[in-house]
Amino acid sequence: MALLLLLFLANILTISKGTCEAGIIKQIHLLRPRSGAGGDFIPGLSCLSWRLAVETNNIIGWKTVPEECEEYVGHYMLGKQYRKDSRAVAKEAFLYAQSLKLAGDGRDIWIFDIDETTLSNSPYYAQHGFGAEPYNATLFDEWVMEGAAPALPESLLLYNKLLSLGIKVVFLTGRQESQRNTTASNLKNVGYHTWDKLILKEPSKYSGKTAVFYKSNERKMLEKKGYRIIGNIGDQWSDLLGTNTGNRTFKLPDPMYYIS
């Protein structure tokens, strides 16, 4: 796993020799999985089946990736399949957006989550068991404050395509208000240059509340201000459930952690 991490970190600093749409040439997750990403059976547990149940919200409330699946999840996140799965979601989201007849009054918005949606924290999780280690808020916040998270290329491409259609972007994240400046700089540095709103969580307002409650309430306030949520994309079901979810939601893959 140490060798895998070293190769990963070297690759995310490399500019891809190929070209892709919209001039997005910085790539992440370039490693090829050695094994496990195809669903190799582990005695007593199929990690591919576990991931499917997680992504379909059939397994809920879990705290960590099963120890037996740490390597499998690592190979998935750093391999081709994660990128392919993300690409399939982003492609469908754009096809939907392209089919819409917009009002043209600047009130049509698309909501993006941030962590594991627009920004990838794989460099952090590669050093912390790909979700197999218990979540450590202090260590993760330190990583966030470095402002070094790369973009998820498929989401960045979708973001640019939505802007070209005249759709405004709103970022709605569980990150704390105290992390606003770092988060804004990180987004801009990796290619997310403009947005209508960047909404971060105010601890005094949402202490003890679930992510579903927090995001539902913030979306409700957006609609009260006259915005129309035509699309909503995130890696957690808590990004997409609750109220005022928008006309259509899109779930990106993330088998590393669960947020209620």
Side-chain angles (χ1 to χ4, degrees), residues 12-249:
I12 63 172
L13 296 175
T14 303
I15 297 178
S16 171
K17 292 181 180 179
T19 59
C20 63
E21 292 180 74
I24 300 171
I25 58 174
K26 290 186 178 180
Q27 302 290 297
I28 62 171
H29 314 327
L30 299 177
L31 297 183
R32 294 183 179 180
R34 296 187 304 241
S35 64
D40 286 3
F41 183 76
I42 295 174
L45 180 68
S46 166
C47 292
L48 186 146
S49 297
W50 176 84
R51 181 171 66 84
L52 173 64
V54 163
E55 297 293 6
T56 53
N57 208 31
N58 289 313
I59 295 179
I60 62 174
W62 52 280
K63 301 298 183 184
T64 60
V65 170
E67 183 179 353
E68 302 95 321
C69 294
E70 174 183 347
E71 194 165 328
Y72 165 78
V73 172
H75 287 306
Y76 172 74
M77 293 301 299
L78 302 184
K80 289 184 176 180
Q81 194 60 50
Y82 172 61
R83 293 289 303 280
K84 288 180 178 179
D85 292 347
S86 299
R87 190 174 301 123
V89 176
K91 180 180 178 180
E92 189 62 30
F94 177 64
L95 289 174
Y96 157 72
Q98 206 173 24
S99 72
L100 299 175
K101 184 176 181 180
L102 303 179
D105 58 0
R107 309 305 283 177
D108 292 314
I109 61 171
W110 194 289
I111 294 181
F112 281 80
D113 173 51
I114 290 183
D115 293 301
E116 270 57 66
T117 298
T118 51
L119 298 178
S120 170
N121 296 303
S122 287
Y124 170 83
Y125 283 104
Q127 300 181 64
H128 296 279
F130 292 101
E133 292 181 11
Y135 176 69
N136 185 311
T138 300
L139 291 178
F140 184 74
D141 285 348
E142 289 175 357
W143 155 254
V144 167
M145 294 306 290
E146 290 179 19
L152 184 65
E154 289 70 29
S155 294
L156 182 55
L157 185 58
L158 173 62
Y159 160 89
N160 282 316
K161 287 183 173 181
L162 294 177
L163 290 180
S164 72
L165 294 176
I167 298 171
K168 299 292 182 66
V169 167
V170 170
F171 292 114
L172 174 56
T173 175
R175 291 186 177 196
Q176 304 294 306
E177 181 62 39
S178 60
Q179 297 169 327
R180 175 176 294 276
N181 291 341
T182 299
T183 299
S185 295
N186 197 162
L187 287 168
K188 289 180 179 180
N189 289 340
V190 298
Y192 300 98
H193 298 301
T194 186
W195 52 80
D196 203 66
K197 290 185 180 296
L198 172 58
I199 302 171
L200 295 95
K201 192 174 184 179
E202 298 180 28
S204 60
K205 186 176 181 180
Y206 292 107
S207 178
K209 303 296 185 182
T210 65
V212 171
F213 178 89
Y214 156 60
K215 294 202 169 185
S216 293
N217 193 54
E218 291 296 331
R219 292 191 299 260
K220 181 179 180 180
M221 289 193 289
L222 285 169
E223 291 189 334
K224 282 187 174 180
K225 293 177 181 177
Y227 289 102
R228 294 179 294 273
I229 303 172
I230 60 173
N232 181 8
I233 188 168
D235 67 298
Q236 297 290 313
W237 282 102
S238 54
D239 299 328
L240 311 174
L241 297 176
T243 65
N244 308 86
T245 55
N247 292 354
R248 189 167 173 188
T249 61

